[in-house]
Amino acid sequence: MHKYKQYTRLFVFSIIAFIFLFPIIYLIVFSVFHSDTGFSLMNYYKVFLAKPDYLIKFWRSLAMCLMIAAGQTLFSCMSGTAFAKYSFPLKKFWFILFALFMILPIQVTLLPNYILLEKLKLLNSWKALIIPAIFSPFGTVWLTFVFQAIPDSTLDAARMDGVNQLQMIRYIIVPNSKPAVITLFILVFTET
């Protein structure tokens, strides 16, 4: 009776997997089979070798996504540390403002970003896409909560050893919260 349930469960999950994988299978099969010629890799030849425009655009967008993810992770680590471990005037107000900016739809920030980038003379360039995305508030808010879990005694001991602020972030805070920082990088990369 136990094996019957196991085989039934395997059969049901195989059908569900096939249903979910069917679009991918369909895409692959019909990309190499044509109704007139049968099996042919000509479509792949056209995209990858005959006209390499697609690959150039792919590598450019990949580089842009990596720059955005790396920049946002870097700035989020620094600002998250500031919000989590240091006190400054109106700290709670600024943090609440960051959290409120997270819930704003992107359409609200399009016009101010356009005006700012126009005044900085960065329109029609990669910088116009990268710079606003680097300063997204999500990473700062999230890493603030993660960095608050690091004991202050560890940072005090590092200060007594003569470690400066950037060394503290690089050698103490980021390694102690490496899974969160890597997850932030992956989330930002997949979003962009």
Side-chain angles (χ1 to χ4, degrees):
M1 185 68 176
H2 179 66
K3 287 197 177 214
Y4 176 73
K5 280 185 176 181
Q6 189 175 13
Y7 287 130
T8 305
R9 188 177 299 156
L10 180 66
F11 179 71
V12 169
F13 284 129
S14 297
I15 291 173
I16 293 171
F18 179 75
I19 290 170
F20 280 100
L21 291 175
F22 180 75
I24 297 169
I25 295 168
Y26 182 84
L27 176 81
I28 292 170
V29 167
F30 283 99
S31 71
V32 294
F33 283 106
H34 195 269
S35 61
D36 297 336
T37 60
F39 179 80
S40 172
L41 294 175
M42 188 54 91
N43 293 333
Y44 291 99
Y45 173 76
K46 287 178 186 175
V47 170
F48 293 118
L49 299 174
K51 296 179 184 176
D53 297 340
Y54 173 78
L55 286 178
I56 292 169
K57 292 174 185 175
F58 170 77
W59 289 114
R60 283 182 183 166
S61 65
L62 181 67
M64 187 179 70
C65 291
L66 286 172
M67 285 189 273
I68 290 171
Q72 191 176 72
T73 303
L74 176 72
F75 285 112
S76 295
C77 286
M78 290 190 287
S79 56
T81 302
F83 279 117
K85 297 298 176 186
Y86 299 106
S87 60
F88 51 88
L90 300 173
K91 174 181 166 180
K92 287 186 180 181
F93 168 77
W94 289 113
F95 187 73
I96 290 170
L97 196 63
F98 260 75
L100 287 175
F101 276 127
M102 271 180 34
I103 63 172
L104 285 176
I106 195 165
Q107 291 84 0
V108 174
T109 61
L110 285 177
L111 184 61
N113 279 342
Y114 178 82
I115 293 169
L116 177 68
L117 293 168
E118 183 182 35
K119 289 186 180 188
L120 293 173
K121 298 189 183 353
L122 294 175
L123 291 178
N124 296 324
S125 69
W126 278 32
K127 295 172 191 171
L129 295 172
I130 294 171
I131 291 172
I134 285 177
F135 297 104
S136 176
F138 168 71
T140 300
V141 172
W142 186 36
L143 288 182
T144 298
F145 291 120
V146 172
F147 293 163
Q148 285 174 346
I150 297 172
D152 290 335
S153 59
T154 306
L155 303 180
D156 292 337
R159 282 189 198 100
M160 298 212 28
D161 285 340
V163 174
N164 66 27
Q165 308 300 337
L166 291 176
Q167 289 173 332
M168 195 176 313
I169 293 170
R170 182 177 177 196
Y171 295 116
I172 296 168
I173 294 176
V174 171
N176 282 325
S177 54
K178 194 180 290 185
V181 173
I182 292 171
T183 303
L184 174 67
F185 182 85
I186 292 170
L187 287 174
V188 172
F189 180 79
T190 56
E191 179 188 2
T192 54

